[in-house]
Amino acid sequence: MAAVNEVSRKAEVPRKEGIYERDGTLYVIGARYIAEVASALANETRVRMLELIASGVRELDEIAERIGQSKANVSSQINRLEGVKLVKSTYTPGRRGVRKIVDLQVNKVVFILAPEREERTVAVQ
């Protein structure tokens, strides 16, 4: 049974270059996309935000307070993380305006340097 599950999971791995979320895993395929996600993760502030969000859904105000950054900076950093599908934000009514709620989309990132290529058949004459 374990072998069947491994085979079916492998079938779910995307093959085309890009950034894909599948069951809590972010698959990043191809050099351009790897560079984009790696760049988003190469900032200590953004990684601290991810660690905080990993422990539960957070409001933008709380994230700013907990990491000692301005709301504007945190919002900009969250937008960068959203751009590579690591987090997702939603808006809910607050006492004064709207509240930005941030949730982690994945708990694992897999970098794939080259997508699996389909087998090619070569005819020999």
Side-chain angles (χ1 to χ4, degrees):
M1 182 78 171
V4 172
N5 287 339
E6 287 178 10
V7 170
S8 65
R9 264 189 250 169
K10 185 173 181 173
E12 295 173 9
V13 174
R15 290 177 167 246
K16 293 176 75 176
E17 288 191 1
I19 302 171
Y20 306 91
E21 188 276 324
R22 300 283 192 275
D23 299 322
T25 299
L26 191 70
Y27 293 96
V28 185
I29 305 170
R32 181 176 120 214
Y33 299 100
I34 290 171
E36 189 176 337
V37 173
S39 175
L41 292 171
N43 178 284
E44 184 180 350
T45 298
R46 287 191 288 268
V47 173
R48 288 175 52 209
M49 291 157 81
L50 288 171
E51 289 175 334
L52 184 60
I53 298 164
S55 64
V57 176
R58 304 283 182 199
E59 289 186 33
L60 183 128
D61 293 356
E62 178 188 358
I63 296 168
E65 184 179 315
R66 297 274 298 269
I67 66 168
Q69 299 281 327
S70 71
K71 293 176 194 175
N73 183 49
V74 169
S75 182
S76 176
Q77 303 302 332
I78 293 295
N79 287 340
R80 181 80 188 271
L81 295 171
E82 281 183 305
V84 294
K85 301 181 182 183
L86 289 167
V87 300
K88 183 176 182 178
S89 297
T90 56
Y91 296 89
T92 61
R95 282 184 260 173
R96 295 179 294 214
V98 294
R99 300 178 334 178
K100 188 172 188 173
I101 309 295
V102 185
D103 193 11
L104 192 65
Q105 289 298 102
V106 298
N107 57 16
K108 181 164 84 173
V109 177
V110 175
F111 292 115
I112 301 172
L113 295 175
E116 293 181 29
R117 297 196 174 115
E118 294 182 27
E119 290 184 33
R120 291 188 227 181
T121 306
V122 177
V124 179
Q125 295 180 355

